[in-house]
Amino acid sequence: MGVDQFVVTGQAQAILLGIETSCDETAAAVVVRDQSGRGSIRSNVVRSQFEEHAAFGGVVPELAARAHVEWLDHIVAQAMAEADIGFDRLDAIAATAGPGLIGGVLVGLTTGKALAAAWGKPLVAVNHLEGHALTARLTDGISFPYLMLLVSGGHSQFVLVRGVGDYQRWGGTIDDALGEAFDKVAKLLSLGHPGGPAVERIAATGDEKRFRFPRPLLREARLDFSFSGLKTAVRLQAEALAPLTDADVADIAAGFQASVTDIVATRARQALARFKAEMPGVAPQLVVAGGVAANRAIASALGVAAAEAGARLVVPPIGLCTDNGAMVAWAGAERLALGARDGLDAMARPRWPLDASDMRLIDHAA
Ligand code: KG4
Ligand code: ZN
């Protein structure tokens, strides 16, 4: 299928409300897509549930769903107020329908359906991963095709983005997601939750050479990740040294950070090499999404890898790399412009890979 098929011109401007509740962020945003396909954010309100989950060292699905129920109405009202528009002015309502924690997804999708029914607006049921995948078109106007590296608390994958609804998964994790690995390492080093920022901060003060942790799967050519063996190696090292001094904690964090940075940069090099081999003559582009994009060591190693490959690297502002409503509104707008609409019977889905057949717009619109 040709990429040009998805270049749409002459569409009317569309204003969408986007709702995101698939993990531990309750989020809503209003986004405008103009006639030429450019996007702008009118409001983007995110409430992170740090406090609800802090004591547990990870996201507790039941608590997450309850917090979404409690907060979503307020967050939607705030997004509408900040955008300074009424519901009657919306062209559609987009809500994440999966993948994610099913209780939370149900809260957001049901709210989206209720608003769509009450105001007589179309509903677009958005795949959360598509929200991440298309964000760089909202922020940087990037054109297809490009490679996306999604590294968050729930996902670690390379996806070739050929068009709206047209994705090819090149690799994923066979166990933990990268953000999850950061969170687990933080927990076993007693650094709190969410762990990524804490591990990064402490790692910067440590000696990365004191411990050399494994780089699982890296000798294999496939573009997959595996982090659970690395996490176990970190745990065994921590247990061997216990009780840990501050220097031990910093050195272990630094060794872990060095290992994951090496893994991600190596995989990015391999993925960009595949991009160039499969699409000669197409300028290689790499987009990073997900909360781990905030990690400076990883982002700068990706910058080096992209530069070596002669590739453009796009890292959207971190508030749009982590979960948010603007990415959902934007993905909804891109789909809406191509004729996609969903019925009020749209299902909430715990699993929904980007390359599922019902992501294709041709099927979708039929
Ligand atoms: O995309 P995100 O906000 O939520 C989802 O998981 O969907 O990503 C959150 C993840 C958490 O696992 C968090 O520890 C990680 O991103 N993270 C980081 C950093 N900031 C957030 N990991 C490494 N370094 C960071 N600076
Ligand atoms: Zn996400």
Side-chain angles (χ1 to χ4, degrees):
M1 176 177 320
V3 164
D4 290 341
Q5 178 177 348
F6 293 106
V7 176
V8 175
T9 50
Q11 295 285 333
Q13 167 178 296
I15 309 179
L16 278 88
L17 168 69
I19 295 172
E20 161 58 37
T21 54
S22 67
C23 190
D24 58 345
E25 263 86 30
T26 311
V30 174
V31 164
V32 180
R33 184 182 185 279
D34 72 15
Q35 293 91 323
S36 57
R38 272 188 301 263
S40 56
I41 298 175
R42 288 286 175 83
S43 65
N44 190 23
V45 183
V46 180
R47 179 185 181 274
S48 296
Q49 304 173 355
F50 293 133
E51 285 154 29
E52 283 85 345
H53 308 291
F56 302 95
V59 178
V60 182
E62 179 60 31
L63 295 182
R66 264 195 259 170
H68 289 309
V69 170
E70 188 181 338
W71 284 94
L72 183 57
D73 287 353
H74 307 290
I75 300 297
V76 168
Q78 193 181 336
M80 295 300 289
E82 287 182 14
D84 199 19
I85 64 160
F87 285 99
D88 56 322
R89 293 265 315 280
L90 294 173
D91 293 288
I93 291 162
T96 297
L101 301 174
I102 196 67
V105 174
L106 273 167
V107 174
L109 182 59
T110 307
T111 300
K113 287 177 181 177
L115 288 171
W119 292 94
K121 305 291 180 185
L123 172 76
V124 187
V126 169
N127 181 314
H128 178 89
L129 303 174
E130 183 166 61
H132 282 302
L134 299 178
T135 296
R137 291 170 51 74
L138 167 64
T139 58
D140 294 79
I142 192 170
S143 56
F144 301 122
Y146 53 88
L147 189 65
M148 172 183 63
L149 169 62
L150 172 60
V151 273
S152 69
H155 303 276
S156 300
Q157 48 185 264
F158 282 107
V159 175
L160 177 65
V161 182
R162 293 186 293 205
V164 179
D166 189 2
Y167 308 99
Q168 195 178 65
R169 204 162 168 280
W170 278 8
T173 177
I174 60 171
D175 41 57
D176 294 346
L178 180 52
E180 189 182 0
F182 269 98
D183 294 337
K184 287 178 175 172
V185 165
K187 191 174 181 182
L188 66 90
L189 296 177
S190 304
L191 294 174
H193 179 84
V199 171
E200 177 177 18
R201 211 174 319 113
I202 301 284
T205 68
D207 172 9
E208 66 171 48
K209 300 224 162 59
R210 182 165 160 211
F211 307 109
R212 181 171 168 93
F213 293 119
R215 276 99 169 120
L217 288 189
L218 218 53
R219 291 213 180 87
E220 295 182 31
R222 61 201 253 212
L223 290 170
D224 289 326
F225 296 105
S226 167
F227 296 111
S228 96
L230 168 59
K231 175 198 65 195
T232 303
V234 169
R235 179 172 57 75
L236 293 175
Q237 187 61 67
E239 285 170 5
L241 292 174
L244 299 177
T245 64
D246 287 351
D248 293 335
V249 169
D251 294 346
I252 291 173
F256 169 78
Q257 172 79 67
S259 174
V260 294
T261 302
D262 193 12
I263 292 167
V264 172
T266 303
R267 282 288 182 251
R269 275 191 193 89
Q270 293 164 327
L272 285 168
R274 176 170 166 187
F275 187 108
K276 293 200 286 185
E278 288 190 12
M279 287 164 283
V282 176
Q285 311 187 93
L286 176 64
V287 167
V288 189
V292 183
N295 189 286
R296 268 159 299 216
I298 290 175
S300 85
L302 287 171
V304 172
E308 281 169 11
R312 175 183 180 195
L313 176 71
V314 176
V315 187
I318 191 60
L320 296 171
C321 283
T322 55
D323 291 349
N324 65 87
M327 72 179 194
V328 177
W330 174 252
E334 293 239 61
R335 294 186 82 80
L336 188 76
L338 296 173
R341 307 264 186 294
D342 290 280
L344 295 181
D345 57 351
M347 297 237 298
R349 303 159 68 154
R351 284 185 47 78
W352 190 6
L354 260 186
D355 52 6
S357 60
D358 64 355
M359 288 302 297
R360 302 296 286 244
L361 278 163
I362 306 93
D363 299 342
H364 202 100

Coordinates of all heavy atoms in Angstrom, one line a residue, residues 20 22-23 128-129 132 150 152 155 290 321-323 327, ligand 2:
E20 N -8.1 10.3 28.0 CA -7.1 9.2 28.2 C -7.2 8.8 29.7 O -7.0 9.5 30.6 CB -5.7 9.8 27.9 CG -4.5 9.0 28.5 CD -4.5 7.5 28.0 OE1 -4.8 7.2 26.9 OE2 -4.2 6.7 28.9
S22 N -6.0 5.1 30.4 CA -5.7 3.7 30.2 C -4.7 3.2 31.3 O -4.4 2.0 31.4 CB -5.1 3.4 28.8 OG -3.9 4.1 28.6
C23 N -4.0 4.1 32.0 CA -3.0 3.7 33.0 C -3.2 4.6 34.2 O -4.3 4.5 34.8 CB -1.6 3.8 32.4 SG -0.4 3.0 33.5
H128 N -4.5 3.6 22.2 CA -3.5 4.4 22.9 C -2.2 4.4 22.2 O -1.5 5.5 22.2 CB -3.4 3.8 24.3 CG -2.4 4.4 25.2 ND1 -2.7 5.4 26.1 CD2 -1.1 4.1 25.4 CE1 -1.7 5.8 26.8 NE2 -0.6 5.0 26.4
L129 N -1.8 3.3 21.7 CA -0.5 3.3 21.0 C -0.4 4.1 19.8 O 0.6 4.7 19.4 CB -0.1 1.8 20.6 CG -0.1 0.8 21.8 CD1 0.1 -0.6 21.3 CD2 0.9 1.2 22.8
H132 N 0.4 7.6 20.8 CA 1.8 7.8 20.9 C 2.4 7.9 19.5 O 3.3 8.7 19.3 CB 2.5 6.7 21.7 CG 2.3 6.7 23.2 ND1 2.8 7.8 23.9 CD2 1.8 5.9 24.1 CE1 2.5 7.6 25.2 NE2 1.9 6.4 25.3
L150 N 8.8 3.3 21.0 CA 7.9 3.6 22.2 C 8.5 2.9 23.4 O 8.6 1.7 23.5 CB 6.5 3.1 21.9 CG 5.5 3.2 23.1 CD1 5.3 4.6 23.6 CD2 4.1 2.6 22.7
S152 N 7.8 3.0 27.4 CA 7.1 3.6 28.5 C 7.0 2.5 29.6 O 7.7 1.5 29.6 CB 5.6 3.9 28.1 OG 4.9 2.7 27.8
H155 N 5.1 -0.4 27.7 CA 5.4 -0.8 26.3 C 6.9 -0.5 26.0 O 7.5 0.4 26.5 CB 4.6 -0.1 25.3 CG 3.1 -0.4 25.5 ND1 2.5 -1.5 25.0 CD2 2.2 0.3 26.1 CE1 1.2 -1.5 25.4 NE2 1.0 -0.4 26.1
G290 N 6.8 7.9 24.8 CA 6.8 7.2 26.1 C 7.6 7.9 27.2 O 8.5 8.6 26.9
C321 N 5.2 13.1 25.4 CA 5.7 11.7 25.3 C 5.0 10.8 26.3 O 4.8 9.6 26.1 CB 7.2 11.7 25.6 SG 8.2 12.3 24.2
T322 N 4.8 11.4 27.5 CA 4.0 10.6 28.5 C 2.5 10.6 28.2 O 2.1 11.4 27.3 CB 4.3 11.2 29.9 OG1 4.0 12.5 29.9 CG2 5.8 11.1 30.3
D323 N 1.8 9.9 28.9 CA 0.3 9.7 28.6 C -0.4 11.1 28.8 O -0.2 11.8 29.8 CB -0.3 8.7 29.5 CG 0.2 7.3 29.1 OD1 0.9 7.1 28.1 OD2 -0.1 6.4 29.9
M327 N -2.7 13.6 22.7 CA -2.3 12.6 21.7 C -3.6 11.8 21.3 O -3.7 11.3 20.1 CB -1.2 11.6 22.2 CG -1.7 10.7 23.3 SD -0.3 9.6 23.8 CE -1.1 8.3 24.7
Ligands
ZN2 ZN 1.3 5.4 27.1

